[in-house]
Every structure is written in structure tokens, then in C-alpha cells.
């Protein structure tokens, strides 16, 4: 699961950056592009930090930050879609990619929580 998330976060950050380089230089687009780059870069950085976590609880907490950053980057993708005033297939693809990444992160959080509960029950016996 960790390798899948690692690959997804790297791809998502790179794809968001490439998308932003394609937009025309304007004040309106720059603000959204800068925010999107910041959020998507944080997705990868926070996931790398999660991998260095010493405990499962710390890993879960850091994954929640990845979830929030992915969610925020998807918000800026929606704003870019609105501002561009046209059907932008690449933005839609990135939004779908973000949704997939979110579902993997959420599944990973649930798996780790379930693993923690099981280990606590076993340790009590």
C-alpha cells in the first residue's frame, strides 16, 4: 500500500506542475496555479514524512495531512476549471487522479486504524 501511495503522490505532484506550466501568464491564473503547485508538492512531501513516522499513530496523523492537501489541491483544480471557462480535459483527469489518490489514502488510514485496534486487543489478552 505504501509503495502505491508513494507512486501516486509523486505522479500527482508532477502532473499538477506540468498542468500549471501550460496556463497563460496572468494574475488570475498565477494565484490558482501557485496554490495548486504548493498543495500538490505538499502531498508528496507530507507522504515522505509519513513514511518516516516512528509509530502507526504518527503515520495515520501524517496521512491525514496528505488527505487534506490532496483535497485542497482538488479545490484549486475546480477553481482553475471555472476560471478557464471551458471544458479542460487535463484538469478533469487530474481531479479524477486526485479522487483516486484520496480513496487510497483513506483506505490506508482505515487499514492502519484497524491494524492498531487488532494489536491492542491481542496485547490485552
Amino acid at each position: 500500500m505504501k509503495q502505491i501511495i508513494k507512486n501516486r503522490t509523486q505522479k500527482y505532484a508532477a502532473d499538477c506542475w506540468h498542468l500549471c506550466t501550460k496556463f497563460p501568464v496572468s494574475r488570475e491564473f498565477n494565484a490558482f496555479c501557485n496554490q495548486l503547485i504548493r498543495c500538490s508538492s505538499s502531498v508528496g512531501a507530507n507522504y515522505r514524512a509519513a513514511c518516516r513516522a516512528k509509530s502507526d499513530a504518527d503515520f495515520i496523523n501524517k496521512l491525514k495531512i496528505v488527505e487534506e492537501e490532496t483535497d485542497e489541491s482538488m479545490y484549486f483544480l475546480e477553481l482553475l476549471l471555472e476560471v478557464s471557462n471551458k471544458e479542460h480535459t487535463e484538469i478533469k483527469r487530474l481531479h479524477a487522479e486526485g479522487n483516486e489518490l484520496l480513496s487510497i489514502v483513506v483506505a490506508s488510514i482505515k487499514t492502519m486504524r484497524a491494524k492498531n485496534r487488532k494489536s491492542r486487543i491481542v496485547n490485552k489478552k
Side-chain angles (χ1 to χ4, degrees):
M1 184 69 88
K2 283 187 178 184
Q3 190 60 40
I4 292 169
I5 301 175
K6 182 181 176 188
N7 294 341
R8 285 296 179 117
T9 54
Q10 287 173 343
K11 184 179 180 332
Y12 188 66
D15 287 352
C16 285
W17 189 85
H18 287 298
L19 170 80
C20 289
T21 61
K22 293 178 182 179
F23 277 110
V25 178
S26 74
R27 198 176 281 179
E28 202 172 23
F29 280 107
N30 280 353
F32 296 143
C33 285
N34 286 338
Q35 289 299 318
L36 178 59
I37 289 170
R38 185 193 62 75
C39 297
S40 60
S41 297
S42 293
V43 165
N46 286 321
Y47 183 71
R48 286 190 298 278
C51 287
R52 292 189 300 269
K54 300 285 186 222
S55 67
D56 287 350
D58 194 26
F59 179 70
I60 290 169
N61 290 335
K62 286 189 169 58
L63 271 189
K64 285 181 187 173
I65 296 169
V66 173
E67 182 184 5
E68 288 166 15
E69 293 288 349
T70 306
D71 210 27
E72 192 177 343
S73 67
M74 287 169 59
Y75 167 73
F76 286 107
L77 282 169
E78 287 165 12
L79 288 178
L80 279 169
L81 198 56
E82 266 179 45
V83 171
S84 64
N85 288 326
K86 60 183 175 192
E87 294 295 303
H88 205 296
T89 54
E90 196 162 355
I91 293 178
K92 288 182 176 180
R93 182 188 62 76
L94 273 174
H95 199 278
E97 198 177 297
N99 271 329
E100 284 178 34
L101 178 59
L102 267 179
S103 64
I104 293 168
V105 168
V106 169
S108 188
I109 290 171
K110 287 179 180 175
T111 303
M112 291 301 288
R113 281 187 177 152
K115 181 181 150 197
N116 280 351
R117 276 190 220 110
K118 280 183 184 175
S119 67
R120 275 189 239 133
I121 291 168
V122 169
N123 289 339
K124 284 184 181 179
K125 292 178 182 179

